[in-house]
Amino acid sequence: MGFHVRDSDIESDDSSSSKTCVSSSSDMTPKRISPSERTPLITTKPLLLADDTTATKTQRNHAAHKIVLLLVAILILATSGDQISEAPLTRIYESIICYRYYETADPSKIRMGRDTVGPGAIGGVDELYCKVNGVQSQLSTIRGTQQFLDGIPSLVLAFPLGWAADRFGRKPMLLIGIISFVFRACWMQFICWFWQAFDIRWTWASSVHGLVSGSSACISALFFVLISDVVAQEERSSVFLRVGASNMISNFTMPPLAALLMRYNPWIPALLGTFLTTTSLFLVALLPETLDWRHPHSTPSSSHPPSPTAEMLPPPPDPSPVNAVASLNYPVRLFHGLKSATQVLWTDWRIPALISTYLLHMLLGVLAIQTLLLYISKRYLYTLSQATLVITTKSLVNFVFLFLLLPFVAKLLTTRYGLSAQRKDLYMSRGSLILTAIGWTMIGLAPTVPAVMVAIVISSLGYGWPLLLRSFLASLVPTHYLARVYSIISVMDSVGLMLGAPFMAALFNKGLDIGGMGIGLPFFVLGAACAVTTGVVFVVGLKKGEEAGSQSDEEEDDALR
């Protein structure tokens, strides 16, 4: 678990050293010796190791870029599958709920009977009639409950899965996670295809996939752990931002494609999404293991500045026979995982304070976008395909901002104004949260679609705050605890998802009852939550000595490159 010196390496070095000493002391006869035997052991071996270390680090820096590119390709394929199927699946849900609603409310609205209507009741009722409150409230509740159930496995299994990623490696956990998402999509589509035989609420059973993957929050945390394994601190925030920007490629290319295909049949993009997610598995197979990748023979990490947190935490236990036996007992593994995680929390108050801000992460991500889709469709009487195109504006701005503007600002703050990597991440996350609070509040106030688009642009300018805070947190935590800390973040994501999904659904339904500007109630609450989170981040600062340590590590890495 974590970074450690392998016993075999120690034994090999010790044995070779002892053999050399014995040979030199016992054999007094002059003889011809090779240059390697003539070389003094103590004086030159460190120099050779230093040269080898420099060359090795240079090679690792090149390899790190290749690994990041492969991770980006995996992320784009997986998120493309999710993005292209999100709106179509919502439309299929709406069609099923709408058909069953009018079977009792007003059968005259039904165009085709059950014996002729297709899978998912597509075409059974005109979509325009599905915008009534009775259908939209059911749709919001179905989706909200699904998100709540999806969060339960993340909450329960985040610590064990974080331990497993530290113990068995990142790659197998990522592979298992994506496979579980493929089965999840297949189950939901199966229920919708045979909607006449199954109640649509059977789709909630798809949350069982989280029992092996921990759901989306754990997989998301695992991606950031993989990147942190191979990228040095001074580059980490920029890489996080660019990876987030790459994720936006699917966010602004797939929804328009989905909207186009939905004109023919929403099943086309829904099934295509499952295919794309499955394809990403082949790229995961090419991914090397990144556990202990940058520092395979040492416990501390030079990519992290020395901090009080690092000094107060003990290194992870060595894989001794006692620990090997204990690892066979799941309660023991769970207890040690919880103990290690809570150790991190109690050594530095800033870590739990910053982790708590991720309660807002899923609200502003998955839940807010889903609510925004229903909000635009209902308030401005747009079809779901039209509403999808409006939301694409947000993804496009996110991509430009994360890929170009934020990295430029980050470089400007470090080169021109001399800010350390830590202080830069902290300041940029504060500014991002301020823009996020303003943008989401304006969405609720927007009277027209153009006004909504302006507000979406403003909220998108703050999209990078979770990535920046992850980078800042990574600088506070020793590397061998990083996966478990990111697992705690996934727990907070899960709690935010579980509590936020029914909460957002209830706010949306309450807004429907109020009518008019009251439909924007969920976004007024989001704006207020962003303001509170901004206050928390403003309280957090750097301790004396941390910034200097960070700068010295950056200079060392620059010299090696």
Side-chain angles (χ1 to χ4, degrees), residues 90 136 140 363-380 382-384 386-395 439-440 442-444 446 448-449 451-453 455-457 459-460 504 508 519-520 522-523 526:
T90 301
Q136 294 300 309
S140 175
L363 282 177
L364 296 178
V366 178
L367 298 178
I369 296 301
Q370 290 181 354
T371 306
L372 184 59
L373 184 68
L374 299 179
Y375 170 76
I376 294 174
S377 178
K378 171 62 180 176
R379 182 170 183 179
Y380 308 109
Y382 272 35
T383 64
L384 285 173
Q386 292 172 330
T388 300
L389 292 175
V390 173
I391 294 178
T392 303
T393 305
K394 179 177 179 62
S395 301
W440 284 109
M442 289 179 61
I443 288 175
T448 62
V449 172
V452 165
M453 295 180 70
I456 287 175
V457 169
S459 68
S460 299
M504 290 289 285
F508 183 74
I519 301 179
F523 307 107
L526 279 179

Side-chain angles (χ1 to χ4, degrees), residues 18 46 88 116 128 140 229 251 311 332 397 437 442 452 496 498 520-521 548 559:
S18 60
T116 57
L128 181 63
S140 175
D229 284 341
N251 288 5
E311 294 172 0
V332 172
V397 174
M442 289 179 61
V452 165
M498 292 173 60
L521 180 63

Side-chain angles (χ1 to χ4, degrees), residues 37 52 88 191 223 225 229 279 318 350 382 410 470 503 515:
E37 294 173 332
D52 291 342
I191 296 299
F223 266 102
V225 171
D229 284 341
T279 305
D318 291 330
R350 297 171 299 173
Y382 272 35
R470 279 184 189 270
F503 183 60

Side-chain angles (χ1 to χ4, degrees), residues 305-313 347-348 350 476 543-546:
S307 65
T309 304
E311 294 172 0
M312 295 174 66
L313 287 173
T347 52
D348 191 339
R350 297 171 299 173
L476 302 178
K543 293 182 179 180
K544 184 177 181 180
E546 285 182 329

Side-chain angles (χ1 to χ4, degrees), residues 12 49 65 133 160 176 178 181 222 254 257 262 280 284 341 364 366 382 386 409 413 425 427 440 466 513 548 560:
S12 175
L49 286 175
H65 292 295
N133 290 358
I176 292 172
I178 295 180
F181 271 91
L222 188 56
M254 292 298 108
L257 179 59
M262 284 171 66
S280 67
V284 177
L364 296 178
V366 178
Y382 272 35
Q386 292 172 330
V409 173
L413 291 176
D425 292 341
Y427 286 178
W440 284 109
D513 295 337
L560 290 174

Side-chain angles (χ1 to χ4, degrees), residues 69-70 148 168 189 214 222 272 286 303 332 338 351 439 464 517 544 561:
L69 288 176
L70 186 57
F148 172 79
F168 300 109
Q189 291 167 4
L222 188 56
L272 179 59
L286 302 176
S303 64
V332 172
L338 291 172
I351 296 175
M517 190 175 292
K544 184 177 181 180
R561 283 196 298 272

Side-chain angles (χ1 to χ4, degrees), residues 64-92:
H65 292 295
K66 296 180 181 179
I67 293 175
V68 170
L69 288 176
L70 186 57
L71 283 171
V72 167
I74 295 169
L75 190 63
I76 289 176
L77 274 178
T79 56
S80 293
D82 180 66
Q83 288 295 319
I84 200 172
S85 62
E86 178 65 30
L89 196 59
T90 301
R91 172 64 192 126
I92 293 171

